Amino acid sequence: MLNYKPLLFILGLFLSMLTGFMFIPLILALVYGEETVMAFMVSAMLTGVFASICLHNGQSKKIHLNIRDMFLLTSLTWFIVSLFAAMPFTLYHGIGYTDAFFETMSGVTTTGSTVLSGLDKMDHSILVWRSLLQWLGGIGFIVMAVAILPFLNVGGMRLFRTESSDWSDKTIPRTQSLAKHLFLVYIGLTIACAIAYHLAGMDWFAAINHSMTTLSTGGYSTSDSSMAAFPASCHWVGVVFMAAGGLPLLVFAQTIQVRSLKVWNDAQIRGYVTFLMLVSFCLAYWLYASRDIQFIDALRLSSFNVISVVTTTGYGLTDYGSWGALANIAFLFLMFVGGCSGSTSGGIKIFRFQIAIAIMREQLKQQFHPNGIFRERYNNRPINEEIVRSLVTFMMLFAIVIVLLTLILVLCGLDPLTSLSGAVTAVTNVGPGLGSVIGPAGNFASLPDVAKWALSIGMLLGRLEILTVAVLMHPSFWRY
């Protein structure tokens, strides 16, 4: 049986926090005398009322969540929070609820796809709300990836299981302690990023907004031109902090706790950094050799765009779709990669590629030595059959979701490139796609409503590692 009371209570807590954060843009609207005051006031009131109902009906002497409860809670929280967080967009901007939900889901999943334009003249409160949604979605996913997903054995993430990867009564305090440390590190990096952006040439408003959407690898900007509206020094700041957003946040916390750099000696981190440097330098050399661009500018353009796509941040700087066929194919593949496990980035994640390579290496050895016994390890942990099954299932579902989304978008009348890249960018939580419609220079406003709802579901599936949502669709989940 599902434990509905604890689910309602925890959902009420999340909605209460959402209500509290709505007061930040509300206060900003009052300070600037903006028309959004009523939109945020009504949204906060309705969200607060629903949160109170959930808390009242979900009261219990103790909270105990089993694995089925956690699967449902993880998916339900992201969806319900998005439903309520979309209200300010609808009440203020006058856009339909479909566009409002799309913008919100893109925000909380840190995807960065947008249907809005005219950002340079938009109210400060709305811009801050967009940035807050991504910032909250980033820390929310980090806690989930470190404390919950390994417990659910999602896509091979059991390799990263910690003592907090459990939600029984005994381990909740440890999970809370872990969340506290991660939150403090997240805030510290956000403040450092904002200061760096300001010193590089942004005003404080832009710096604070971009720091929230950089660390969360979300990609929302305060300008229609995105990062192209700011000087080159800001691009280098973005490179550093986007790359930091793609690293496991837990490693930053452990470095402070143990005061040692040994925690950085991790196969996933080494692979991530090596991959970013290799691809950035190769693409920079190709730009330098094929176009009339100085190498330092080519390196800035290539590293910014590569890191933006790999970490699934999705900032726009230049239309890399105009760099030629090689760049188009390269960036299409880069959309799949993603950052590290326990980071704010989406995508398949570096560790899954490393595990797949290790499995392939083991299989090749077995072909040459049929009677041999080989057991590959990852970060000194054995890759057992359970992890292999979870990984294969994840990869298969990942591919199936992209194919289905692509077919839906094609049936909506979109061209093949827009359909494929739109499906990929939604599931991998990158943001911009390829082509003239949803590429770095465009947005998703012109897409039909059916396509926007399909992509919204794709964003949620990608953010929650697909298996977390897919298991709810199996009849046996609801049978007992």
Side-chain angles (χ1 to χ4, degrees):
M1 292 288 292
L2 288 168
N3 301 316
Y4 291 105
K5 278 198 170 185
L7 294 180
L8 277 176
F9 186 79
I10 295 175
L11 183 60
L13 290 177
F14 277 109
L15 289 176
S16 297
M17 288 188 286
L18 182 68
T19 303
F21 277 101
M22 282 182 179
F23 282 94
I24 296 176
L26 174 58
I27 293 171
L28 202 63
L30 289 169
V31 171
Y32 283 96
E34 296 173 344
E35 298 177 358
T36 54
V37 172
M38 189 57 65
F40 282 105
M41 191 175 294
V42 172
S43 299
M45 182 182 68
L46 292 176
T47 306
V49 168
F50 194 82
S52 299
I53 294 172
C54 290
L55 290 172
H56 176 74
N57 291 298
Q59 286 182 346
S60 180
K61 292 182 178 179
K62 64 177 183 178
I63 295 177
H64 178 79
L65 299 174
N66 57 39
I67 189 169
R68 296 171 73 238
D69 300 327
M70 287 306 305
F71 274 115
L72 182 58
L73 178 65
T74 304
S75 303
L76 193 63
T77 299
W78 243 264
F79 184 76
I80 297 296
V81 165
S82 297
L83 287 177
F84 283 90
M87 287 193 293
F89 293 116
T90 302
L91 295 175
Y92 154 71
H93 205 271
I95 63 176
Y97 191 77
T98 295
D99 283 352
F101 184 82
F102 179 92
E103 191 78 10
T104 304
M105 182 61 76
S106 179
V108 297
T109 58
T110 70
T111 303
S113 303
T114 184
V115 295
L116 301 182
S117 57
L119 299 175
D120 301 82
K121 298 180 180 179
M122 194 167 287
D123 285 355
H124 294 76
S125 53
I126 289 293
L127 294 175
V128 167
W129 184 236
R130 295 170 80 242
S131 301
L132 272 173
L133 288 177
Q134 291 202 324
W135 192 77
L136 293 170
I139 185 61
F141 179 72
I142 288 173
V143 174
M144 183 184 72
V146 173
I148 300 174
L149 291 183
F151 174 61
L152 301 182
N153 194 24
V154 172
M157 294 188 83
R158 191 173 288 273
L159 279 170
F160 303 97
R161 185 169 183 175
T162 67
E163 64 178 5
S164 299
S165 300
D166 195 349
W167 276 71
S168 61
D169 293 330
K170 294 181 180 179
T171 54
I172 284 178
R174 279 178 282 183
T175 302
Q176 292 173 339
S177 176
L178 175 65
K180 176 184 175 182
H181 285 96
L182 292 175
F183 192 64
L184 290 175
V185 171
Y186 194 61
I187 290 176
L189 288 172
T190 304
I191 293 172
C193 184
I195 294 172
Y197 271 135
H198 181 65
L199 294 176
M202 287 187 183
D203 61 64
W204 276 115
F205 181 77
I208 293 171
N209 276 275
H210 284 87
S211 68
M212 288 192 285
T213 60
T214 297
L215 255 298
S216 64
T217 61
Y220 276 161
S221 179
T222 58
S223 172
D224 287 334
S225 302
S226 193
M227 291 297 287
F230 304 101
S233 52
C234 293
H235 305 160
W236 288 114
V237 172
V239 165
V240 172
F241 284 95
M242 281 191 296
L247 289 167
L249 198 69
L250 185 61
V251 174
F252 289 96
Q254 290 175 335
T255 302
I256 296 172
Q257 287 179 326
V258 303
R259 297 181 180 180
S260 173
L261 296 177
K262 290 183 179 180
V263 293
W264 292 89
N265 187 28
D266 181 275
Q268 182 180 211
I269 295 175
R270 293 198 305 270
Y272 168 73
V273 173
T274 301
F275 180 79
L276 289 182
M277 293 178 64
L278 181 63
V279 176
S280 295
F281 274 101
C282 287
L283 191 55
Y285 180 77
W286 181 78
L287 282 174
Y288 171 73
S290 63
R291 296 172 182 271
D292 188 21
I293 303 176
Q294 294 293 322
F295 185 76
I296 188 65
D297 289 327
L299 182 61
R300 173 175 58 85
L301 293 173
S302 65
S303 59
F304 185 93
N305 283 287
V306 166
I307 294 174
S308 179
V309 172
V310 170
T311 62
T312 70
T313 307
Y315 277 137
L317 180 58
T318 56
D319 185 4
Y320 45 74
S322 64
W323 290 0
L326 177 64
N328 271 276
I329 296 299
F331 280 106
L332 181 60
F333 283 116
L334 289 176
M335 287 181 182
F336 289 92
V337 179
C340 299
S341 171
S343 71
T344 58
S345 63
I348 293 176
K349 303 290 194 306
I350 290 290
F351 85 92
R352 291 194 177 102
F353 289 100
Q354 293 175 315
I355 293 175
I357 292 172
I359 295 171
M360 181 179 66
R361 187 166 56 241
E362 180 181 323
Q363 185 63 29
L364 289 174
K365 290 179 183 178
Q366 199 74 53
Q367 294 295 322
F368 286 109
H369 306 282
N371 297 322
I373 299 176
F374 305 99
R375 177 60 61 87
E376 290 291 331
R377 301 177 70 85
Y378 183 77
N379 269 345
N380 297 319
R381 296 187 182 186
I383 303 175
N384 55 39
E385 291 185 6
E386 183 183 14
I387 291 172
V388 173
R389 287 197 303 269
S390 179
L391 177 65
V392 171
T393 304
F394 171 84
M395 298 296 279
M396 283 297 296
L397 285 174
F398 195 89
I400 290 170
V401 170
I402 289 176
V403 170
L404 290 176
L405 268 181
T406 302
L407 290 175
I408 292 172
L409 296 182
V410 168
L411 291 174
C412 288
L414 303 178
D415 64 88
L417 179 61
T418 300
S419 300
L420 176 59
S421 66
V424 172
T425 197
V427 178
T428 58
N429 305 121
V430 172
L434 296 174
S436 59
V437 181
I438 61 172
N443 69 16
F444 291 71
S446 62
L447 270 59
D449 285 355
V450 173
K452 291 172 184 173
W453 281 105
L455 290 174
S456 296
I457 295 171
M459 294 176 204
L460 181 63
L461 286 167
R463 179 81 291 185
L464 301 185
E465 303 283 340
I466 298 180
L467 283 167
T468 309
V469 182
V471 72
L472 303 181
M473 302 176 187
H474 200 282
S476 62
F477 180 87
W478 305 97
R479 195 168 295 161
Y480 303 105

PDB file of all heavy atoms in Angstrom, residues 296-311:
ATOM      1  N   ILE A 296      42.573  32.664 -29.753  1.00  0.00           N
ATOM      2  CA  ILE A 296      42.023  32.903 -28.424  1.00  0.00           C
ATOM      3  C   ILE A 296      40.509  33.099 -28.493  1.00  0.00           C
ATOM      4  O   ILE A 296      39.765  32.649 -27.619  1.00  0.00           O
ATOM      5  CB  ILE A 296      42.721  34.124 -27.751  1.00  0.00           C
ATOM      6  CG1 ILE A 296      42.272  34.251 -26.295  1.00  0.00           C
ATOM      7  CG2 ILE A 296      42.426  35.401 -28.535  1.00  0.00           C
ATOM      8  CD1 ILE A 296      42.703  33.108 -25.416  1.00  0.00           C
ATOM      9  N   ASP A 297      40.028  33.764 -29.560  1.00  0.00           N
ATOM     10  CA  ASP A 297      38.585  33.924 -29.743  1.00  0.00           C
ATOM     11  C   ASP A 297      37.928  32.598 -30.123  1.00  0.00           C
ATOM     12  O   ASP A 297      36.807  32.296 -29.681  1.00  0.00           O
ATOM     13  CB  ASP A 297      38.291  34.975 -30.809  1.00  0.00           C
ATOM     14  CG  ASP A 297      38.618  36.386 -30.346  1.00  0.00           C
ATOM     15  OD1 ASP A 297      38.458  36.645 -29.140  1.00  0.00           O
ATOM     16  OD2 ASP A 297      39.034  37.214 -31.172  1.00  0.00           O
ATOM     17  N   ALA A 298      38.636  31.828 -30.954  1.00  0.00           N
ATOM     18  CA  ALA A 298      38.117  30.509 -31.329  1.00  0.00           C
ATOM     19  C   ALA A 298      38.010  29.601 -30.102  1.00  0.00           C
ATOM     20  O   ALA A 298      37.033  28.859 -29.948  1.00  0.00           O
ATOM     21  CB  ALA A 298      39.027  29.866 -32.374  1.00  0.00           C
ATOM     22  N   LEU A 299      39.014  29.704 -29.208  1.00  0.00           N
ATOM     23  CA  LEU A 299      38.991  28.893 -27.993  1.00  0.00           C
ATOM     24  C   LEU A 299      37.854  29.335 -27.067  1.00  0.00           C
ATOM     25  O   LEU A 299      37.186  28.499 -26.449  1.00  0.00           O
ATOM     26  CB  LEU A 299      40.330  29.012 -27.264  1.00  0.00           C
ATOM     27  CG  LEU A 299      40.484  28.166 -25.991  1.00  0.00           C
ATOM     28  CD1 LEU A 299      40.345  26.683 -26.309  1.00  0.00           C
ATOM     29  CD2 LEU A 299      41.836  28.449 -25.325  1.00  0.00           C
ATOM     30  N   ARG A 300      37.624  30.651 -26.990  1.00  0.00           N
ATOM     31  CA  ARG A 300      36.531  31.163 -26.161  1.00  0.00           C
ATOM     32  C   ARG A 300      35.183  30.687 -26.695  1.00  0.00           C
ATOM     33  O   ARG A 300      34.330  30.210 -25.934  1.00  0.00           O
ATOM     34  CB  ARG A 300      36.574  32.695 -26.126  1.00  0.00           C
ATOM     35  CG  ARG A 300      35.378  33.346 -25.420  1.00  0.00           C
ATOM     36  CD  ARG A 300      35.569  34.857 -25.340  1.00  0.00           C
ATOM     37  NE  ARG A 300      35.739  35.464 -26.645  1.00  0.00           N
ATOM     38  CZ  ARG A 300      34.737  35.845 -27.451  1.00  0.00           C
ATOM     39  NH1 ARG A 300      33.480  35.673 -27.050  1.00  0.00           N
ATOM     40  NH2 ARG A 300      34.978  36.393 -28.622  1.00  0.00           N
ATOM     41  N   LEU A 301      34.991  30.808 -28.005  1.00  0.00           N
ATOM     42  CA  LEU A 301      33.726  30.398 -28.616  1.00  0.00           C
ATOM     43  C   LEU A 301      33.503  28.895 -28.481  1.00  0.00           C
ATOM     44  O   LEU A 301      32.403  28.439 -28.133  1.00  0.00           O
ATOM     45  CB  LEU A 301      33.690  30.805 -30.085  1.00  0.00           C
ATOM     46  CG  LEU A 301      33.654  32.310 -30.384  1.00  0.00           C
ATOM     47  CD1 LEU A 301      33.807  32.554 -31.883  1.00  0.00           C
ATOM     48  CD2 LEU A 301      32.358  32.923 -29.871  1.00  0.00           C
ATOM     49  N   SER A 302      34.533  28.130 -28.757  1.00  0.00           N
ATOM     50  CA  SER A 302      34.385  26.674 -28.724  1.00  0.00           C
ATOM     51  C   SER A 302      34.196  26.170 -27.304  1.00  0.00           C
ATOM     52  O   SER A 302      33.281  25.366 -27.033  1.00  0.00           O
ATOM     53  CB  SER A 302      35.603  25.991 -29.353  1.00  0.00           C
ATOM     54  OG  SER A 302      36.776  26.227 -28.594  1.00  0.00           O
ATOM     55  N   SER A 303      35.034  26.630 -26.364  1.00  0.00           N
ATOM     56  CA  SER A 303      34.931  26.140 -24.988  1.00  0.00           C
ATOM     57  C   SER A 303      33.606  26.544 -24.357  1.00  0.00           C
ATOM     58  O   SER A 303      32.972  25.741 -23.658  1.00  0.00           O
ATOM     59  CB  SER A 303      36.106  26.649 -24.149  1.00  0.00           C
ATOM     60  OG  SER A 303      36.147  28.061 -24.137  1.00  0.00           O
ATOM     61  N   PHE A 304      33.163  27.784 -24.607  1.00  0.00           N
ATOM     62  CA  PHE A 304      31.888  28.224 -24.028  1.00  0.00           C
ATOM     63  C   PHE A 304      30.736  27.381 -24.560  1.00  0.00           C
ATOM     64  O   PHE A 304      29.911  26.878 -23.786  1.00  0.00           O
ATOM     65  CB  PHE A 304      31.633  29.702 -24.330  1.00  0.00           C
ATOM     66  CG  PHE A 304      30.404  30.250 -23.664  1.00  0.00           C
ATOM     67  CD1 PHE A 304      30.489  30.876 -22.430  1.00  0.00           C
ATOM     68  CD2 PHE A 304      29.143  30.116 -24.241  1.00  0.00           C
ATOM     69  CE1 PHE A 304      29.355  31.372 -21.786  1.00  0.00           C
ATOM     70  CE2 PHE A 304      28.004  30.602 -23.615  1.00  0.00           C
ATOM     71  CZ  PHE A 304      28.113  31.231 -22.389  1.00  0.00           C
ATOM     72  N   ASN A 305      30.672  27.218 -25.876  1.00  0.00           N
ATOM     73  CA  ASN A 305      29.552  26.478 -26.459  1.00  0.00           C
ATOM     74  C   ASN A 305      29.615  24.991 -26.136  1.00  0.00           C
ATOM     75  O   ASN A 305      28.572  24.369 -25.875  1.00  0.00           O
ATOM     76  CB  ASN A 305      29.533  26.685 -27.978  1.00  0.00           C
ATOM     77  CG  ASN A 305      28.979  28.043 -28.365  1.00  0.00           C
ATOM     78  OD1 ASN A 305      27.787  28.304 -28.277  1.00  0.00           O
ATOM     79  ND2 ASN A 305      29.858  28.939 -28.790  1.00  0.00           N
ATOM     80  N   VAL A 306      30.812  24.412 -26.139  1.00  0.00           N
ATOM     81  CA  VAL A 306      30.955  22.990 -25.814  1.00  0.00           C
ATOM     82  C   VAL A 306      30.537  22.727 -24.370  1.00  0.00           C
ATOM     83  O   VAL A 306      29.744  21.826 -24.092  1.00  0.00           O
ATOM     84  CB  VAL A 306      32.410  22.518 -26.047  1.00  0.00           C
ATOM     85  CG1 VAL A 306      32.653  21.158 -25.389  1.00  0.00           C
ATOM     86  CG2 VAL A 306      32.702  22.425 -27.534  1.00  0.00           C
ATOM     87  N   ILE A 307      31.054  23.538 -23.441  1.00  0.00           N
ATOM     88  CA  ILE A 307      30.722  23.343 -22.027  1.00  0.00           C
ATOM     89  C   ILE A 307      29.250  23.648 -21.772  1.00  0.00           C
ATOM     90  O   ILE A 307      28.591  22.974 -20.978  1.00  0.00           O
ATOM     91  CB  ILE A 307      31.631  24.219 -21.140  1.00  0.00           C
ATOM     92  CG1 ILE A 307      33.078  23.726 -21.254  1.00  0.00           C
ATOM     93  CG2 ILE A 307      31.178  24.191 -19.686  1.00  0.00           C
ATOM     94  CD1 ILE A 307      34.089  24.589 -20.541  1.00  0.00           C
ATOM     95  N   SER A 308      28.702  24.649 -22.457  1.00  0.00           N
ATOM     96  CA  SER A 308      27.291  24.984 -22.319  1.00  0.00           C
ATOM     97  C   SER A 308      26.397  23.820 -22.736  1.00  0.00           C
ATOM     98  O   SER A 308      25.391  23.538 -22.086  1.00  0.00           O
ATOM     99  CB  SER A 308      26.956  26.225 -23.152  1.00  0.00           C
ATOM    100  OG  SER A 308      25.597  26.559 -23.054  1.00  0.00           O
ATOM    101  N   VAL A 309      26.767  23.125 -23.806  1.00  0.00           N
ATOM    102  CA  VAL A 309      25.961  22.007 -24.303  1.00  0.00           C
ATOM    103  C   VAL A 309      26.203  20.748 -23.477  1.00  0.00           C
ATOM    104  O   VAL A 309      25.252  20.063 -23.078  1.00  0.00           O
ATOM    105  CB  VAL A 309      26.253  21.749 -25.793  1.00  0.00           C
ATOM    106  CG1 VAL A 309      25.572  20.462 -26.256  1.00  0.00           C
ATOM    107  CG2 VAL A 309      25.764  22.915 -26.637  1.00  0.00           C
ATOM    108  N   VAL A 310      27.470  20.427 -23.185  1.00  0.00           N
ATOM    109  CA  VAL A 310      27.781  19.206 -22.443  1.00  0.00           C
ATOM    110  C   VAL A 310      27.193  19.252 -21.034  1.00  0.00           C
ATOM    111  O   VAL A 310      26.641  18.261 -20.551  1.00  0.00           O
ATOM    112  CB  VAL A 310      29.308  18.973 -22.384  1.00  0.00           C
ATOM    113  CG1 VAL A 310      29.647  17.841 -21.414  1.00  0.00           C
ATOM    114  CG2 VAL A 310      29.845  18.644 -23.769  1.00  0.00           C
ATOM    115  N   THR A 311      27.297  20.414 -20.380  1.00  0.00           N
ATOM    116  CA  THR A 311      26.726  20.542 -19.030  1.00  0.00           C
ATOM    117  C   THR A 311      25.227  20.793 -19.070  1.00  0.00           C
ATOM    118  O   THR A 311      24.605  20.958 -18.025  1.00  0.00           O
ATOM    119  CB  THR A 311      27.410  21.679 -18.251  1.00  0.00           C
ATOM    120  OG1 THR A 311      27.179  22.924 -18.935  1.00  0.00           O
ATOM    121  CG2 THR A 311      28.898  21.434 -18.114  1.00  0.00           C
TER     122      THR A 311
END
